């Protein structure tokens, strides 16, 4: 596995996702398969990316595909992605809300065009600000409700994190509590 997926071309990332889908076919039910594809700002703005993603979706159907924006992109780009991805039954997510470039000020105008927001507790922990998690989580849950978005929490490491997620009504959870990434 590469240290940094952005070092790989979109074509190489798509090939890895296709291998993942084949692995999922062996290990999960046919109706519940889903994969996510992270895009940074440069990748989102690359004109070849969107066609590669749409082509991938057609090849892996009926597997669900979600695109996660790991960095803030322009509102015009979010609108373009939203229209084209939704036409192809691909979900659009803003990842790592509240950290990095995905601050509220940078993404608030994009919220009507996405399906989901994803809050990363591990980003607060790694920056030494774990005590801020409940306050920021509450804010982002309010935004998800305001814009009728699904809310995802990642960085669920133990049962206390699971209880916190349930306190805020977050059913979609991701983290090492549920398993570590592994090649299957």
């Amino acid at each position: 596995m590469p240290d940094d997926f952005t070092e790989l071309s979109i074509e190489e990332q798509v090939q890895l996702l296709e291998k993942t889908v084949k692995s999922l076919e062996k290990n999960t039910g046919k109706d519940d398969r889903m994969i996510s594809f992270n895009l940074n700002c440069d990748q989102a703005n690359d004109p070849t990316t969107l066609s590669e993603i749409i082509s991938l979706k057609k090849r892996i159907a009926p597997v669900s595909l979600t695109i996660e924006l790991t960095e803030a992109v322009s509102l015009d780009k979010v609108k373009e992605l939203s229209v084209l991805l939704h036409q192809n039954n691909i979900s659009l997510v803003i990842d790592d809300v509240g950290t990095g470039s995905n601050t509220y000020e940078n993404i608030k105008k994009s919220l009507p065009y996405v399906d989901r927001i994803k809050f990363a507790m591990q980003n607060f922990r790694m920056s030494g600000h774990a005590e801020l998690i409940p306050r920021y989580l509450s804010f982002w849950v309010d935004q998800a409700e305001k814009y009728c978005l699904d809310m995802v929490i990642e960085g669920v490491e133990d049962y206390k994190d699971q209880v916190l997620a349930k306190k805020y009504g977050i059913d979609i959870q991701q983290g090492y509590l549920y398993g570590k990434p592994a090649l299957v």
Side-chain angles (χ1 to χ4, degrees):
M1 299 298 285
D3 291 332
D4 182 0
F5 278 96
T6 60
E7 294 173 5
L8 298 175
S9 69
I10 291 298
E11 293 83 5
E12 291 171 308
Q13 291 179 59
V14 164
Q15 288 174 357
L16 284 172
L17 285 173
E18 286 181 289
K19 287 179 184 178
T20 301
V21 168
K22 286 186 170 101
S23 175
L24 287 173
E25 289 173 356
K26 299 176 201 167
N27 297 297
T28 62
K30 292 280 186 196
D31 295 332
D32 60 355
R33 296 174 295 154
M34 185 188 104
I35 59 172
S36 295
F37 193 116
N38 285 4
L39 292 182
N40 64 27
C41 190
D42 289 339
Q43 293 167 321
N45 287 312
D46 182 332
T48 63
T49 299
L50 198 53
S51 62
E52 286 287 336
I53 290 169
I54 291 169
S55 179
L56 169 67
K57 173 59 177 156
K58 291 175 182 174
R59 291 192 305 272
I60 65 170
V63 174
S64 297
L65 179 60
T66 298
I67 301 304
E68 298 184 6
L69 299 174
T70 61
E71 299 172 345
V73 298
S74 72
L75 179 58
D76 287 341
K77 179 52 73 171
V78 171
K79 288 178 180 180
E80 175 190 354
L81 289 170
S82 179
V83 168
L84 293 171
L85 294 175
H86 290 138
Q87 287 175 346
N88 288 280
N89 201 28
I90 302 170
S91 297
L92 183 58
V93 176
I94 299 178
D95 195 7
D96 302 330
V97 293
T99 60
S101 68
N102 282 341
T103 62
Y104 179 69
E105 282 303 312
N106 287 344
I107 66 167
K108 66 183 176 185
K109 292 180 180 175
S110 298
L111 293 175
Y113 303 97
V114 301
D115 303 293
R116 187 176 300 137
I117 54 176
K118 194 170 179 184
F119 182 83
M121 292 191 295
Q122 71 276 11
N123 292 357
F124 286 87
R125 291 180 179 132
M126 289 187 305
S127 67
H129 298 290
E131 76 282 357
L132 298 176
I133 291 172
R135 186 174 83 194
Y136 276 77
L137 185 57
S138 177
F139 173 81
W140 287 106
V141 166
D142 288 346
Q143 298 311 304
E145 289 174 5
K146 178 179 176 181
Y147 290 96
C148 300
L149 303 173
D150 289 333
M151 179 78 190
V152 180
I153 189 169
E154 63 177 313
V156 178
E157 308 294 323
D158 57 33
Y159 292 104
K160 289 187 294 183
D161 292 342
Q162 195 176 46
V163 168
L164 180 66
K166 291 205 181 287
K167 174 183 173 186
Y168 286 98
I170 303 170
D171 295 325
I172 308 171
Q173 302 171 23
Q174 176 183 336
Y176 289 162
L177 177 64
Y178 305 105
K180 294 189 178 187
L183 293 174
V184 183

